[in-house]
Amino acid sequence: MSRDEVTGRLRAAGCVFAEDEAALLLGEAGEDPVRLERMLAARVSGFPLEQVLGWAWFRGVRIAVAPGVFVPRRRTEHLVELAVEGLGAGAVVVDVCCGSGAVAAAVRAERPDAVVWACDVDERATVCAELNLPGGRVVTGDLFAPLPRELAGRVRVITANAPYVPSDAVALMPPEARDHEPRTALDGGADGLSVQARVIAQAPDWLAPGGVLLVETSREQAERTAGLMGAAGLAARVSRCDELDATVVSGRWG
């Protein structure tokens, strides 16, 4: 199948960047026309490109992405940027709601001397995260529950891209996300803050003195996220990256 044919089918399906996607699909399929047809059919039917390819680029790291697993967004690179600031050798970093493990993998790539943990309640996510953190510390369970208790009070940085879409707004998301990513990775409850609130409430038990909790959120929710941090005894600060359209609220402990 020619590049023009692939591009035409993608464009007819409404893919805005049809030419770029065609190049990626052709490159991934190589000389296997059956695989190309299978991938193209999946993409045309609405599967996220990253799930079709099986990978996504995230802050310079190639991240394995499996069907049914949250696809890392480029805006979340701001979370990594803040996480690696000032990390010393042996510093413990925990990524909760890790999804594919993209944040944890990017932190480890930039700070290989850090001790990085990743956890998620969805086993599909942690299986994927293990691919992205070979030999790493990946655990399955609700928020901090699966972590070893000896980490309590020793964590330098906690990162959390917890779901923050209000329940009623999930139906308004693009079909790629709404239909092919787990609801638990998108739905943040009635106000979008329910999972964030649990992360924030539990984080002080795990943070070392001077440690930082970093929570991705939306521009509209940032002040409420900061308010939750203040109520938990964390010194909150809102960080905005316009280039990535990213908002992260940090909360320092002690």
Side-chain angles (χ1 to χ4, degrees):
M1 192 182 310
S2 72
R3 180 166 177 165
D4 286 346
E5 289 175 300
V6 174
T7 300
R9 285 177 61 180
L10 290 168
R11 187 173 289 121
C15 298
V16 176
F17 303 104
E19 291 186 1
D20 295 336
E21 292 193 14
L24 288 167
L25 292 173
L26 287 161
E28 189 66 26
E31 300 299 320
D32 187 342
V34 174
R35 186 181 182 202
L36 175 60
E37 177 57 40
R38 184 171 63 248
M39 294 170 68
L40 182 56
R43 180 60 181 138
V44 166
S45 71
F47 279 84
L49 176 66
E50 295 83 357
Q51 290 183 2
V52 173
L53 293 172
W55 55 268
W57 284 111
F58 180 79
R59 202 168 165 89
V61 180
R62 181 164 161 148
I63 300 295
V65 179
V69 175
F70 182 79
V71 175
R73 275 52 161 175
R74 185 164 177 258
R75 62 174 172 267
T76 307
E77 293 180 4
H78 188 46
L79 199 63
V80 178
E81 180 183 9
L82 297 175
V84 299
E85 287 181 354
L87 271 187
V92 178
V93 180
V94 171
D95 181 32
V96 296
C97 305
C98 71
S100 65
V103 170
V107 168
R108 193 168 78 166
E110 296 185 37
R111 295 291 189 271
D113 54 357
V115 178
V116 181
W117 288 79
C119 44
D120 199 287
V121 72
D122 189 336
E123 188 174 6
R124 292 174 300 176
T126 53
V127 167
C128 190
E130 287 173 347
L131 297 176
N132 294 312
L133 292 158
R137 301 163 177 86
V138 180
V139 289
T140 306
D142 183 50
L143 301 184
F144 301 95
L147 294 171
R149 285 303 304 175
E150 56 263 30
L151 291 181
R154 295 180 46 215
V155 180
R156 178 58 50 186
V157 176
I158 297 170
T159 57
N161 183 16
Y164 56 89
V165 179
S167 299
D168 289 346
V170 172
L172 305 177
M173 295 184 72
E176 291 178 353
R178 184 184 68 227
D179 297 339
H180 299 287
E181 293 182 323
R183 178 92 183 201
T184 54
L186 305 174
D187 191 338
D191 62 357
L193 301 176
S194 63
V195 183
Q196 285 187 11
R198 294 178 58 226
V199 172
I200 292 166
Q202 296 177 33
D205 292 337
W206 297 89
L207 287 170
V212 178
L213 168 65
L214 299 168
V215 176
E216 179 177 308
T217 192
S218 70
R219 185 196 296 263
E220 296 75 20
Q221 294 164 311
E223 291 305 321
R224 286 179 290 162
T225 302
L228 291 170
M229 289 194 181
L234 298 161
R237 181 176 68 89
V238 177
S239 177
R240 176 73 190 165
C241 177
D242 290 330
E243 179 185 354
L244 296 175
D245 190 25
T247 303
V248 173
V249 181
S250 64
R252 187 168 298 276
W253 176 245

